[in-house]
Amino acid sequence: MQENFVLVTGATGGLGRRTVRELVRRGVPVVVGGRRRDTVEALTAEVAAAGVGCLPFVADLADLASVRRGLEELGDVRLRGLVANAGMNSRRDARTADGFEINFGVNVLAHQLVLWSLRDHLEPGARVVVLSSGVHEPDNMLARRAGIPAPTWMGARNLALPDDAEPGRRIEAGTVRYSTSKLASVLQARGLQAHFRDTGRDVDVFAVDPGLMVDTGLGREIPRWLQPPLRALGYALTPFVANMRLSGTSARSMVSLLLDDGWHGRGFQYLDGLRPKDPSPDAMRDELATELWTQSAELVGITVPRLR
Ligand SMILES: NC(=O)c1ccc[n+]([C@@H]2O[C@H](COP(=O)([O-])OP(=O)(O)OC[C@H]3O[C@@H](n4cnc5c(N)ncnc54)[C@H](OP(=O)(O)O)[C@@H]3O)[C@@H](O)[C@H]2O)c1
C-alpha cells in the first residue's frame, strides 16, 4: 500500500521542524520542505534513521521557478496533510525573484502555488493547515505590545507589487506588511476551503495562530545583541501570558489538527492553538477571499475556477 505523507513547508527550522519531529514520533511519513538542499537532506536523514518514510521538497519560496522545480522533483506523492508553515517577518523593503514584496511573496503567493499544485494529491479526509498569526487581529494587544501593528488590506495585487500600486495603496512599514500577509493567510485558507466545498472534496482547511513563540527564528532581524535578553524575557513570560507558547506546544497542536479524527469534517476554522475563534472581521469578508483567490492565481500564473 502506498504511504500517505504530511508535507510541511519551512520544515528546517522553528515550528516546522518541531512539527516534523512530532509527526515522526507518531510514525507519520513526512515531506520535508526547505529552501536549502543541505539542511533538507540533514533532516530527511534524521527521519529516515528513525525508520519513517521521508521525501525532500527543496524550494525557495522567494523564487517561483524554484518552487516549480521542487514540485516537479517531488512528483506524485499522496498527502494526508499539508502545512503551509514557512514564513518570514521582514522589515526590509525587499522583493522576491519574481518582483513581489517579500513578506507577501513568501508567506502567501508561493504557498498559493504549492497549495494549488498539490490539491489533487490530497487524500479524502486530508487536512490543510495554513499558518496565520494573532498579529492579523486588530484587537490583539499582545501583538501591539510586541510592536506589530494591525494589518491594512490594500488589495492583493497592490500588496504583491507595491511599486506599481496607486498612490496611498502602498504599505510603508515592514511590520504592517507582515501582519497583512497573515490576514491574507486566513483569506487564503478560506478561499481554498470554498474551492474544496465547490468541488465536493473531503478536505478541511484550517488557519492557525500558533501563538507568540520565543524559541523560533522568526525574530532573526532583531539586532543580534537584543535577541538573548528578549528571548530570556519571553521564556519567563510564556507560562503566564495567554497566546504565548513554546514551539513544542504549538507543534503538538498542529499534529492534532492533522491527525485526530475529531477535526475531520469541520470545514474552515481559525484557531488560536487548538481553540477555535473568530478571525478578524476583514478575514471573514468573502469579497476579500475571492479577490485574493483570483489575483494570487494571476500573479503566480495558475488558472483557478471562480469560487461560487
Ligand atoms: N514565532 C512566532 O511567534 C509566530 C507567531 C505567529 C505565527 N507564526 C508563523 O509560524 C510560522 C513558522 O514560523 P517560526 O516561528 O517557526 O519561524 P522560523 O523559525 O523563522 O521558521 C520559518 C521557516 O520558514 C522557512 N523559510 C523562510 N523563508 C523561506 C523561503 N524563502 N523559502 C523556503 N522556506 C523559507 C525558514 O527556512 P530556513 O530554515 O532556511 O531559515 C524556516 O524553516 C510562520 O508562518 C510564522 O509567520 C510565528
Side-chain angles (χ1 to χ4, degrees), residues 10 12-13 15 35 60-61 85 87 132 178 182 211 213 216-217 220:
T12 54
L15 176 62
R35 58 181 143 180
D60 181 352
L61 300 182
N85 163 76
S132 176
Y178 174 69
K182 292 292 154 179
M213 305 173 290
T216 72
R220 65 187 78 189

Side-chain angles (χ1 to χ4, degrees), residues 19-258:
T19 303
V20 162
R21 288 187 172 145
E22 191 63 26
L23 287 163
V24 169
R25 204 178 60 76
R26 296 187 47 173
V28 177
V30 287
V31 180
V32 169
R35 58 181 143 180
R36 287 183 27 216
R37 193 167 291 277
D38 57 344
T39 51
V40 170
E41 283 177 358
L43 189 53
T44 53
E46 179 189 315
V47 176
V52 174
C54 190
L55 293 169
F57 170 47
V58 181
D60 181 352
L61 300 182
D63 179 356
L64 294 182
S66 165
V67 177
R68 290 190 195 95
R69 276 197 302 278
L71 288 165
E72 208 173 295
E73 190 187 352
L74 181 59
D76 188 20
V77 63
R78 303 313 307 164
L79 298 174
R80 64 185 293 182
L82 200 168
V83 187
N85 163 76
M88 64 186 314
N89 174 2
S90 181
R91 292 172 189 224
R92 290 178 301 120
D93 193 19
R95 302 288 174 264
T96 68
D98 307 276
F100 302 135
E101 190 284 315
I102 192 93
N103 292 286
F104 199 76
V106 169
N107 300 353
V108 185
L109 293 179
H111 278 121
Q112 192 68 15
L113 179 57
V114 172
L115 291 164
W116 181 252
S117 303
L118 293 176
R119 70 198 183 284
D120 290 336
H121 298 237
L122 293 161
E123 292 289 311
R127 325 274 161 82
V128 175
V129 179
V130 179
L131 267 295
S132 176
S133 171
V135 300
H136 98 278
E137 303 164 13
D139 56 357
N140 188 310
M141 289 319 293
L142 180 62
R144 303 299 92 83
R145 286 202 183 100
I148 312 226
T152 316
W153 188 257
M154 293 292 189
R157 197 185 308 282
N158 291 332
L159 293 167
L161 300 169
D163 306 317
D164 300 345
E166 326 72 276
R169 303 294 289 168
R170 178 189 163 111
I171 299 175
E172 297 303 334
T175 46
V176 182
R177 291 195 286 268
Y178 174 69
S179 64
T180 306
S181 78
K182 292 292 154 179
L183 163 60
S185 299
V186 186
L187 295 167
Q188 179 173 54
R190 291 191 58 231
L192 187 64
Q193 184 71 79
H195 170 70
F196 287 140
R197 180 203 58 211
D198 291 350
T199 49
R201 297 278 308 277
D202 173 17
V203 178
D204 295 306
V205 188
F206 305 124
V208 172
D209 169 19
L212 176 55
M213 305 173 290
V214 295
D215 61 338
T216 72
L218 198 68
R220 65 187 78 189
E221 286 187 15
I222 293 170
R224 267 179 190 279
W225 63 270
L226 198 53
Q227 291 185 21
L230 273 184
R231 189 161 290 184
L233 178 66
Y235 273 112
L237 290 175
T238 295
F240 306 106
V241 179
N243 199 233
M244 281 185 82
R245 297 181 193 97
L246 295 181
S247 57
T249 306
S250 298
R252 284 189 291 281
S253 300
M254 307 274 281
V255 170
S256 170
L257 291 171
L258 289 162

